[in-house]
Amino acid sequence: MIGFAHIAIRPMLARLVALGLLGAVGAGPVFSGLDADSEIEAARARLDRAREQAARQPGVPPLTAADGDALLAAFRARLEALAGTGAVVIDGTLIEPDPARPALPRLRATLRGTAEGLHGLAHAVETGSPLMAVEEADLTVERPADAEIGRPTLMRLAFAARGVVTGKPAQPRRAP
C-alpha cells in the first residue's frame, strides 16, 4: 500500500508544481502591469505640471543693465517710482560688486517713511517688475509716533537686493 500511495501522490505533486510554475509565470505580467500603471500615473502628473507651467504667465524679468552705473541708475529710478506712490524718502543707494558673482552685484538702499509706505515699497520691490531678489533687510524706528500732534511713526528701511549686469562688472559707487 505504501508503494501505491506514492504512485497516486506523484501526479498530484506534479500538477501542484506545474500550477505553481504557471502562477509564477502569470504573476510577472500582472506585477509589471502594476508598475506600468504607476509609471503612467507619474507621467500624467508630470504632463499636468508641465501644462500648468506653460499656461502660467512668463516670469518677471530681473533688474538688469549693461554695466554697474546703469544698474545703479535703474535701481534708483525703480525706487523713486515706487516711493512716489507712498510716504517714502530715499536717503541713499549704492552698488557693491560681489567678487564671487561679478554679474550679480548687491544693490543697497536706505529709505525713510511710514510703516505703510515702506511696507508697500518692500512688497513692490519683491513682487513687481523688474524683479529684485532681496537678500537682507533691516527695519528700525527712526522717530516714534506722537498722537498729540498727529505725527505717524517714522521708520527706516535698509535693504540689499541683487541686480544683473550683462556687460562689464560693476564698480563700487553711490548714486547722486
Side-chain angles (χ1 to χ4, degrees):
M1 212 148 125
I2 292 175
F4 183 70
H6 288 294
I7 295 173
I9 293 176
R10 284 184 188 174
M12 187 178 294
L13 286 175
R15 287 184 190 139
L16 284 175
V17 169
L19 186 60
L21 286 173
L22 284 174
V25 169
V30 170
F31 289 129
S32 66
L34 293 175
D35 289 340
D37 284 343
S38 65
E39 288 176 16
I40 289 170
E41 288 301 317
R44 285 183 180 153
R46 284 192 307 268
L47 178 62
D48 289 341
R49 284 192 306 269
R51 284 181 179 160
E52 287 173 8
Q53 189 175 12
R56 284 188 221 142
Q57 294 183 359
V60 178
L63 180 66
T64 60
D67 61 15
D69 291 339
L71 183 64
L72 185 59
F75 178 60
R76 179 78 183 205
R78 175 79 175 129
L79 291 178
E80 286 173 353
L82 295 172
T85 61
V88 176
V89 175
I90 301 169
D91 287 335
T93 57
L94 69 105
I95 188 167
E96 293 177 348
D98 186 350
R101 301 187 302 188
L104 299 171
R106 182 175 284 124
L107 300 163
R108 291 198 178 273
T110 306
L111 311 152
R112 281 180 295 133
T114 63
E116 295 83 14
L118 291 174
H119 178 266
L121 185 134
H123 179 70
V125 162
E126 291 183 323
T127 60
S129 178
L131 183 65
M132 290 183 270
V134 175
E135 290 187 336
E136 60 187 58
D138 184 32
L139 184 65
T140 57
V141 175
E142 182 81 10
R143 183 186 69 216
D146 189 349
E148 290 180 15
I149 61 173
R151 182 176 64 190
T153 303
L154 182 64
M155 309 284 293
R156 178 174 297 279
L157 172 65
F159 73 93
R162 292 280 180 171
V164 179
V165 173
T166 57
K168 67 178 182 169
Q171 300 300 319
R173 185 170 172 324
R174 288 189 181 275

